[in-house]
Amino acid sequence: MTIKEIQDEIVAEFSLFEDWDERFQYVIDLGKSLPIIAEEFKTDENTIKGCQSKVWLRGKEDNGTVVFTADSDAIITKGIIAILIRVFSNQKAADILTADTKFIDEIGLKEQLSPTRANGLVSMIKQIKMYALAFESQK
């Protein structure tokens, strides 16, 4: 699936819920399916700066795509990074770099977050794009 197709799928899923209590429960459930980063990669180098909670993100290149794993010590944050990994993992670096993140506004996630969590979301996206940039520039 393309990044846009995955984003559209997420928007459709979020539209099924009546309110933000249900949507946050869904975000928490998504966090439980997160491809967890190996303990050996829970290092300062893989920590996302700017997040209220601890978030570790690792990207590696695999057969021309970028594969992400992550973890967080907070359940909502774990769900948020799970959504981002669902969108951007197993995609080409060039596609990640050119992808927009309007789907986050479409599901209304950013406005439901505290300012520090919203900043953390921006930091997560920035780090994903930085991995993509690093892999793309190696070509």
Side-chain angles (χ1 to χ4, degrees), residues 24-36 70-72 74-83:
F24 273 125
Q25 185 56 54
Y26 185 59
V27 169
I28 291 167
D29 291 344
L30 289 172
K32 294 174 184 172
S33 67
L34 178 68
I36 299 293
D71 199 4
S72 175
I75 56 173
I76 296 283
T77 307
K78 194 178 221 173
I80 293 168
I81 193 69
I83 291 169

PDB file of all heavy atoms in Angstrom, residues 24-36 70-72 74-83:
ATOM      1  N   PHE A  24      -9.202   7.517  21.612  1.00  0.00           N
ATOM      2  CA  PHE A  24      -7.987   7.311  22.414  1.00  0.00           C
ATOM      3  C   PHE A  24      -7.836   5.848  22.811  1.00  0.00           C
ATOM      4  O   PHE A  24      -6.719   5.335  22.860  1.00  0.00           O
ATOM      5  CB  PHE A  24      -7.961   8.216  23.652  1.00  0.00           C
ATOM      6  CG  PHE A  24      -7.370   9.568  23.377  1.00  0.00           C
ATOM      7  CD1 PHE A  24      -8.076  10.722  23.661  1.00  0.00           C
ATOM      8  CD2 PHE A  24      -6.098   9.699  22.840  1.00  0.00           C
ATOM      9  CE1 PHE A  24      -7.533  11.975  23.390  1.00  0.00           C
ATOM     10  CE2 PHE A  24      -5.543  10.940  22.569  1.00  0.00           C
ATOM     11  CZ  PHE A  24      -6.272  12.081  22.847  1.00  0.00           C
ATOM     12  N   GLN A  25      -8.942   5.159  23.063  1.00  0.00           N
ATOM     13  CA  GLN A  25      -8.857   3.724  23.345  1.00  0.00           C
ATOM     14  C   GLN A  25      -8.293   2.985  22.128  1.00  0.00           C
ATOM     15  O   GLN A  25      -7.490   2.075  22.257  1.00  0.00           O
ATOM     16  CB  GLN A  25     -10.221   3.148  23.741  1.00  0.00           C
ATOM     17  CG  GLN A  25     -10.154   1.695  24.163  1.00  0.00           C
ATOM     18  CD  GLN A  25      -9.177   1.446  25.309  1.00  0.00           C
ATOM     19  OE1 GLN A  25      -9.249   2.070  26.357  1.00  0.00           O
ATOM     20  NE2 GLN A  25      -8.234   0.529  25.104  1.00  0.00           N
ATOM     21  N   TYR A  26      -8.704   3.428  20.940  1.00  0.00           N
ATOM     22  CA  TYR A  26      -8.190   2.830  19.708  1.00  0.00           C
ATOM     23  C   TYR A  26      -6.692   3.117  19.554  1.00  0.00           C
ATOM     24  O   TYR A  26      -5.922   2.229  19.179  1.00  0.00           O
ATOM     25  CB  TYR A  26      -8.978   3.357  18.506  1.00  0.00           C
ATOM     26  CG  TYR A  26      -8.591   2.705  17.197  1.00  0.00           C
ATOM     27  CD1 TYR A  26      -8.699   1.333  17.023  1.00  0.00           C
ATOM     28  CD2 TYR A  26      -8.113   3.459  16.141  1.00  0.00           C
ATOM     29  CE1 TYR A  26      -8.339   0.732  15.832  1.00  0.00           C
ATOM     30  CE2 TYR A  26      -7.756   2.865  14.932  1.00  0.00           C
ATOM     31  CZ  TYR A  26      -7.871   1.496  14.790  1.00  0.00           C
ATOM     32  OH  TYR A  26      -7.518   0.899  13.619  1.00  0.00           O
ATOM     33  N   VAL A  27      -6.274   4.338  19.867  1.00  0.00           N
ATOM     34  CA  VAL A  27      -4.847   4.693  19.815  1.00  0.00           C
ATOM     35  C   VAL A  27      -4.057   3.787  20.762  1.00  0.00           C
ATOM     36  O   VAL A  27      -2.997   3.260  20.401  1.00  0.00           O
ATOM     37  CB  VAL A  27      -4.625   6.186  20.164  1.00  0.00           C
ATOM     38  CG1 VAL A  27      -3.149   6.491  20.366  1.00  0.00           C
ATOM     39  CG2 VAL A  27      -5.212   7.081  19.084  1.00  0.00           C
ATOM     40  N   ILE A  28      -4.589   3.561  21.960  1.00  0.00           N
ATOM     41  CA  ILE A  28      -3.934   2.679  22.935  1.00  0.00           C
ATOM     42  C   ILE A  28      -3.844   1.254  22.375  1.00  0.00           C
ATOM     43  O   ILE A  28      -2.804   0.603  22.466  1.00  0.00           O
ATOM     44  CB  ILE A  28      -4.681   2.706  24.282  1.00  0.00           C
ATOM     45  CG1 ILE A  28      -4.489   4.084  24.949  1.00  0.00           C
ATOM     46  CG2 ILE A  28      -4.212   1.585  25.204  1.00  0.00           C
ATOM     47  CD1 ILE A  28      -5.415   4.358  26.114  1.00  0.00           C
ATOM     48  N   ASP A  29      -4.944   0.787  21.780  1.00  0.00           N
ATOM     49  CA  ASP A  29      -4.941  -0.562  21.185  1.00  0.00           C
ATOM     50  C   ASP A  29      -3.907  -0.676  20.059  1.00  0.00           C
ATOM     51  O   ASP A  29      -3.240  -1.697  19.935  1.00  0.00           O
ATOM     52  CB  ASP A  29      -6.333  -0.922  20.654  1.00  0.00           C
ATOM     53  CG  ASP A  29      -7.346  -1.117  21.776  1.00  0.00           C
ATOM     54  OD1 ASP A  29      -6.932  -1.279  22.949  1.00  0.00           O
ATOM     55  OD2 ASP A  29      -8.559  -1.087  21.479  1.00  0.00           O
ATOM     56  N   LEU A  30      -3.788   0.383  19.251  1.00  0.00           N
ATOM     57  CA  LEU A  30      -2.793   0.377  18.175  1.00  0.00           C
ATOM     58  C   LEU A  30      -1.385   0.278  18.753  1.00  0.00           C
ATOM     59  O   LEU A  30      -0.510  -0.369  18.173  1.00  0.00           O
ATOM     60  CB  LEU A  30      -2.921   1.625  17.306  1.00  0.00           C
ATOM     61  CG  LEU A  30      -4.156   1.698  16.408  1.00  0.00           C
ATOM     62  CD1 LEU A  30      -4.246   3.070  15.748  1.00  0.00           C
ATOM     63  CD2 LEU A  30      -4.143   0.599  15.367  1.00  0.00           C
ATOM     64  N   GLY A  31      -1.169   0.920  19.878  1.00  0.00           N
ATOM     65  CA  GLY A  31       0.138   0.864  20.535  1.00  0.00           C
ATOM     66  C   GLY A  31       0.539  -0.546  20.925  1.00  0.00           C
ATOM     67  O   GLY A  31       1.718  -0.888  20.947  1.00  0.00           O
ATOM     68  N   LYS A  32      -0.465  -1.379  21.191  1.00  0.00           N
ATOM     69  CA  LYS A  32      -0.178  -2.770  21.570  1.00  0.00           C
ATOM     70  C   LYS A  32       0.321  -3.587  20.389  1.00  0.00           C
ATOM     71  O   LYS A  32       0.909  -4.645  20.571  1.00  0.00           O
ATOM     72  CB  LYS A  32      -1.428  -3.402  22.175  1.00  0.00           C
ATOM     73  CG  LYS A  32      -1.818  -2.759  23.499  1.00  0.00           C
ATOM     74  CD  LYS A  32      -3.134  -3.289  24.010  1.00  0.00           C
ATOM     75  CE  LYS A  32      -3.532  -2.549  25.286  1.00  0.00           C
ATOM     76  NZ  LYS A  32      -4.885  -2.894  25.726  1.00  0.00           N
ATOM     77  N   SER A  33       0.085  -3.097  19.164  1.00  0.00           N
ATOM     78  CA  SER A  33       0.534  -3.826  17.973  1.00  0.00           C
ATOM     79  C   SER A  33       1.834  -3.252  17.400  1.00  0.00           C
ATOM     80  O   SER A  33       2.280  -3.644  16.333  1.00  0.00           O
ATOM     81  CB  SER A  33      -0.554  -3.771  16.892  1.00  0.00           C
ATOM     82  OG  SER A  33      -0.710  -2.439  16.429  1.00  0.00           O
ATOM     83  N   LEU A  34       2.427  -2.323  18.118  1.00  0.00           N
ATOM     84  CA  LEU A  34       3.648  -1.648  17.677  1.00  0.00           C
ATOM     85  C   LEU A  34       4.804  -2.628  17.513  1.00  0.00           C
ATOM     86  O   LEU A  34       5.047  -3.454  18.392  1.00  0.00           O
ATOM     87  CB  LEU A  34       4.033  -0.586  18.716  1.00  0.00           C
ATOM     88  CG  LEU A  34       5.295   0.213  18.486  1.00  0.00           C
ATOM     89  CD1 LEU A  34       5.132   1.135  17.290  1.00  0.00           C
ATOM     90  CD2 LEU A  34       5.614   1.049  19.721  1.00  0.00           C
ATOM     91  N   PRO A  35       5.530  -2.555  16.371  1.00  0.00           N
ATOM     92  CA  PRO A  35       6.755  -3.355  16.243  1.00  0.00           C
ATOM     93  C   PRO A  35       7.803  -2.805  17.213  1.00  0.00           C
ATOM     94  O   PRO A  35       8.354  -1.741  16.994  1.00  0.00           O
ATOM     95  CB  PRO A  35       7.188  -3.158  14.791  1.00  0.00           C
ATOM     96  CG  PRO A  35       6.085  -2.412  14.119  1.00  0.00           C
ATOM     97  CD  PRO A  35       5.245  -1.782  15.181  1.00  0.00           C
ATOM     98  N   ILE A  36       7.985  -3.507  18.310  1.00  0.00           N
ATOM     99  CA  ILE A  36       8.803  -3.004  19.415  1.00  0.00           C
ATOM    100  C   ILE A  36      10.292  -3.035  19.064  1.00  0.00           C
ATOM    101  O   ILE A  36      10.795  -4.019  18.526  1.00  0.00           O
ATOM    102  CB  ILE A  36       8.554  -3.829  20.700  1.00  0.00           C
ATOM    103  CG1 ILE A  36       7.087  -3.716  21.126  1.00  0.00           C
ATOM    104  CG2 ILE A  36       9.471  -3.406  21.833  1.00  0.00           C
ATOM    105  CD1 ILE A  36       6.666  -2.339  21.590  1.00  0.00           C
ATOM    106  N   ALA A  70       9.894   0.883  17.289  1.00  0.00           N
ATOM    107  CA  ALA A  70       9.846   1.938  18.302  1.00  0.00           C
ATOM    108  C   ALA A  70       9.293   1.383  19.601  1.00  0.00           C
ATOM    109  O   ALA A  70       8.808   0.256  19.662  1.00  0.00           O
ATOM    110  CB  ALA A  70       8.972   3.094  17.811  1.00  0.00           C
ATOM    111  N   ASP A  71       9.334   2.217  20.613  1.00  0.00           N
ATOM    112  CA  ASP A  71       8.693   1.919  21.889  1.00  0.00           C
ATOM    113  C   ASP A  71       8.561   3.231  22.651  1.00  0.00           C
ATOM    114  O   ASP A  71       9.223   4.223  22.328  1.00  0.00           O
ATOM    115  CB  ASP A  71       9.505   0.908  22.698  1.00  0.00           C
ATOM    116  CG  ASP A  71       8.675   0.237  23.797  1.00  0.00           C
ATOM    117  OD1 ASP A  71       7.450   0.494  23.875  1.00  0.00           O
ATOM    118  OD2 ASP A  71       9.243  -0.542  24.572  1.00  0.00           O
ATOM    119  N   SER A  72       7.696   3.217  23.638  1.00  0.00           N
ATOM    120  CA  SER A  72       7.526   4.369  24.505  1.00  0.00           C
ATOM    121  C   SER A  72       7.131   3.876  25.887  1.00  0.00           C
ATOM    122  O   SER A  72       6.563   2.792  26.030  1.00  0.00           O
ATOM    123  CB  SER A  72       6.435   5.305  23.965  1.00  0.00           C
ATOM    124  OG  SER A  72       6.216   6.365  24.882  1.00  0.00           O
ATOM    125  N   ALA A  74       4.931   5.482  27.636  1.00  0.00           N
ATOM    126  CA  ALA A  74       3.578   6.009  27.864  1.00  0.00           C
ATOM    127  C   ALA A  74       2.625   5.380  26.843  1.00  0.00           C
ATOM    128  O   ALA A  74       2.939   5.307  25.659  1.00  0.00           O
ATOM    129  CB  ALA A  74       3.576   7.525  27.728  1.00  0.00           C
ATOM    130  N   ILE A  75       1.448   4.971  27.300  1.00  0.00           N
ATOM    131  CA  ILE A  75       0.565   4.203  26.419  1.00  0.00           C
ATOM    132  C   ILE A  75      -0.011   5.019  25.260  1.00  0.00           C
ATOM    133  O   ILE A  75      -0.115   4.513  24.149  1.00  0.00           O
ATOM    134  CB  ILE A  75      -0.569   3.501  27.201  1.00  0.00           C
ATOM    135  CG1 ILE A  75      -1.397   4.487  28.020  1.00  0.00           C
ATOM    136  CG2 ILE A  75      -0.027   2.398  28.061  1.00  0.00           C
ATOM    137  CD1 ILE A  75      -2.622   3.888  28.663  1.00  0.00           C
ATOM    138  N   ILE A  76      -0.360   6.271  25.499  1.00  0.00           N
ATOM    139  CA  ILE A  76      -0.889   7.103  24.399  1.00  0.00           C
ATOM    140  C   ILE A  76       0.219   7.366  23.379  1.00  0.00           C
ATOM    141  O   ILE A  76       0.014   7.246  22.172  1.00  0.00           O
ATOM    142  CB  ILE A  76      -1.463   8.445  24.923  1.00  0.00           C
ATOM    143  CG1 ILE A  76      -2.661   8.214  25.834  1.00  0.00           C
ATOM    144  CG2 ILE A  76      -1.801   9.374  23.771  1.00  0.00           C
ATOM    145  CD1 ILE A  76      -3.948   7.875  25.149  1.00  0.00           C
ATOM    146  N   THR A  77       1.392   7.705  23.869  1.00  0.00           N
ATOM    147  CA  THR A  77       2.526   7.985  22.988  1.00  0.00           C
ATOM    148  C   THR A  77       2.894   6.746  22.183  1.00  0.00           C
ATOM    149  O   THR A  77       3.225   6.844  20.994  1.00  0.00           O
ATOM    150  CB  THR A  77       3.728   8.475  23.819  1.00  0.00           C
ATOM    151  OG1 THR A  77       3.296   9.570  24.629  1.00  0.00           O
ATOM    152  CG2 THR A  77       4.864   8.926  22.942  1.00  0.00           C
ATOM    153  N   LYS A  78       2.816   5.596  22.809  1.00  0.00           N
ATOM    154  CA  LYS A  78       3.097   4.341  22.112  1.00  0.00           C
ATOM    155  C   LYS A  78       2.106   4.159  20.956  1.00  0.00           C
ATOM    156  O   LYS A  78       2.477   3.735  19.863  1.00  0.00           O
ATOM    157  CB  LYS A  78       2.981   3.184  23.104  1.00  0.00           C
ATOM    158  CG  LYS A  78       3.547   1.894  22.633  1.00  0.00           C
ATOM    159  CD  LYS A  78       3.411   0.854  23.742  1.00  0.00           C
ATOM    160  CE  LYS A  78       4.648   0.033  23.807  1.00  0.00           C
ATOM    161  NZ  LYS A  78       4.676  -0.885  24.929  1.00  0.00           N
ATOM    162  N   GLY A  79       0.855   4.518  21.184  1.00  0.00           N
ATOM    163  CA  GLY A  79      -0.150   4.434  20.130  1.00  0.00           C
ATOM    164  C   GLY A  79       0.108   5.423  19.007  1.00  0.00           C
ATOM    165  O   GLY A  79      -0.075   5.103  17.829  1.00  0.00           O
ATOM    166  N   ILE A  80       0.533   6.619  19.363  1.00  0.00           N
ATOM    167  CA  ILE A  80       0.819   7.652  18.355  1.00  0.00           C
ATOM    168  C   ILE A  80       1.977   7.214  17.455  1.00  0.00           C
ATOM    169  O   ILE A  80       1.889   7.304  16.230  1.00  0.00           O
ATOM    170  CB  ILE A  80       1.116   9.010  19.025  1.00  0.00           C
ATOM    171  CG1 ILE A  80      -0.158   9.547  19.704  1.00  0.00           C
ATOM    172  CG2 ILE A  80       1.643  10.015  18.002  1.00  0.00           C
ATOM    173  CD1 ILE A  80       0.078  10.733  20.626  1.00  0.00           C
ATOM    174  N   ILE A  81       3.052   6.721  18.058  1.00  0.00           N
ATOM    175  CA  ILE A  81       4.180   6.288  17.231  1.00  0.00           C
ATOM    176  C   ILE A  81       3.784   5.054  16.419  1.00  0.00           C
ATOM    177  O   ILE A  81       4.251   4.868  15.293  1.00  0.00           O
ATOM    178  CB  ILE A  81       5.480   6.072  18.064  1.00  0.00           C
ATOM    179  CG1 ILE A  81       6.714   5.938  17.177  1.00  0.00           C
ATOM    180  CG2 ILE A  81       5.383   4.891  18.985  1.00  0.00           C
ATOM    181  CD1 ILE A  81       7.145   7.177  16.462  1.00  0.00           C
ATOM    182  N   ALA A  82       2.890   4.222  16.949  1.00  0.00           N
ATOM    183  CA  ALA A  82       2.404   3.056  16.190  1.00  0.00           C
ATOM    184  C   ALA A  82       1.678   3.503  14.922  1.00  0.00           C
ATOM    185  O   ALA A  82       1.840   2.896  13.858  1.00  0.00           O
ATOM    186  CB  ALA A  82       1.488   2.199  17.060  1.00  0.00           C
ATOM    187  N   ILE A  83       0.884   4.562  15.026  1.00  0.00           N
ATOM    188  CA  ILE A  83       0.189   5.094  13.846  1.00  0.00           C
ATOM    189  C   ILE A  83       1.205   5.571  12.809  1.00  0.00           C
ATOM    190  O   ILE A  83       1.089   5.267  11.620  1.00  0.00           O
ATOM    191  CB  ILE A  83      -0.767   6.243  14.244  1.00  0.00           C
ATOM    192  CG1 ILE A  83      -1.944   5.699  15.066  1.00  0.00           C
ATOM    193  CG2 ILE A  83      -1.271   6.991  13.003  1.00  0.00           C
ATOM    194  CD1 ILE A  83      -2.791   6.784  15.723  1.00  0.00           C
TER     195      ILE A  83
END
